[in-house]
Amino acid sequence: DQIDVTGINSTQRIVINLATGYQVRFTNTEIYNLFGFNKTDVLTGKTTSPRKADLTNGITSVLVHCSLVDTSTSIRNGTFSNVLYSVSPPILPPGSLYNVVVDTH
């Protein structure tokens, strides 16, 4: 492998391992924030992010929208909306899976 990106569950950090002759620069992208690196980092070899990764970018809930819903007649929590479903998963340990079962009744 030329570029290997893995996570460390216990520390919530990202490890990027690059083959000889390869480097990663985060200067033209915002992905460094998600991976826990600094914008000025130029990576070579094997590097562990100095900060915890935030792959969700601070997102704590998911809303399912539908453009087919008539927002002039659909009300959610007292507000006109095209949201079909929303979920805010609990805070779980790193690497945990979260399963959402939607009750359609």
Side-chain angles (χ1 to χ4, degrees), residues 4-18 24 26 32-38 41-53:
D4 183 43
V5 180
T6 56
I8 304 172
N9 285 341
S10 62
T11 61
Q12 297 181 20
R13 288 177 170 40
I14 299 288
V15 177
I16 298 180
N17 194 8
L18 304 169
V24 171
F26 294 116
Y32 69 92
N33 275 326
L34 301 178
F35 284 4
F37 287 95
N38 300 310
D41 287 346
V42 176
L43 309 181
T44 58
K46 184 176 182 179
T47 309
T48 302
S49 62
R51 297 185 319 278
K52 290 181 180 181

Side-chain angles (χ1 to χ4, degrees), residues 85 87 98-104:
Y85 188 77
V87 62
Y98 182 68
N99 186 30
V100 176
V101 178
V102 178
D103 183 6
T104 58

Side-chain angles (χ1 to χ4, degrees), residues 70-83:
D70 183 356
T71 57
S72 66
T73 60
S74 176
I75 298 176
R76 179 180 177 273
N77 295 332
T79 304
F80 292 105
S81 174
N82 67 349
V83 174

Side-chain angles (χ1 to χ4, degrees), residues 51 53-54 68:
R51 297 185 319 278
D54 183 10
L68 300 175

Side-chain angles (χ1 to χ4, degrees), residues 55-97:
L55 298 179
T56 61
N57 198 23
I59 296 170
T60 58
S61 62
V62 175
L63 302 176
V64 178
H65 292 264
C66 178
S67 62
L68 300 175
V69 173
D70 183 356
T71 57
S72 66
T73 60
S74 176
I75 298 176
R76 179 180 177 273
N77 295 332
T79 304
F80 292 105
S81 174
N82 67 349
V83 174
L84 297 178
Y85 188 77
S86 65
V87 62
S88 296
I91 298 173
L92 300 170
S96 298
L97 296 177

